[in-house]
Amino acid sequence: PVGTPVLAVAPGRVIQSFYEPAYGNQIVIDHGPEEKGRRVHSVYVHLRDRMAEEGDAVARGEQIATMGATGALGMAVHLHFELRRGSASSPVPSALDPHLLWVDGPGKVTCYDPGRRYPAKPFGITYPTPCKDS
């Protein structure tokens, strides 16, 4: 529903927090380099409210926004979420399948648990919204 918290999927730094007409409110977080040295970014689009601003350091599970339907392409309430990976030699980041990067392993959706300790390596993500039982 509108207003559902949107959470950072891993620790990082907000590199973009802005509005544009097609995709509405957006946040991009740089999570730093993964094991092969390529930078990983998470992208959150069609947000109602942006709570994180450019330059903010964010923790895994920290609320960064609320779900919405902003922008011309946000016709229904939803979270458009992407993971991208790039490097200095590849200026255009490539898309990553989030199902390969869950903290608990490929295909094992990992809900954020504030009482759990998460490993720094290898790079892994938690779900971008609170799970129903949390």
Side-chain angles (χ1 to χ4, degrees), residues 94-109:
S94 60
L96 287 169
D97 181 350
H99 289 295
L100 299 176
L101 295 169
W102 298 114
V103 168
D104 289 339
K108 297 179 181 176
V109 175

Side-chain angles (χ1 to χ4, degrees), residues 32-112:
E34 41 89 286
E35 292 70 40
K36 295 183 180 179
R38 298 169 294 189
R39 299 194 82 74
V40 177
H41 298 117
S42 56
V43 181
Y44 312 78
V45 179
H46 301 306
L47 307 168
R48 183 180 75 180
D49 299 305
R50 292 177 286 115
M51 298 168 172
E53 296 299 327
E54 193 170 316
D56 288 353
V58 294
R60 179 190 308 277
E62 181 177 338
Q63 184 173 355
I64 58 168
T66 58
M67 185 125 28
T70 60
L73 300 176
M75 296 172 210
V77 176
H78 71 288
L79 175 63
H80 176 126
F81 172 72
E82 297 178 16
L83 284 178
R84 300 177 184 163
R85 178 174 52 203
S87 66
S89 63
S90 175
V92 178
S94 60
L96 287 169
D97 181 350
H99 289 295
L100 299 176
L101 295 169
W102 298 114
V103 168
D104 289 339
K108 297 179 181 176
V109 175
T110 307
C111 295
Y112 174 70

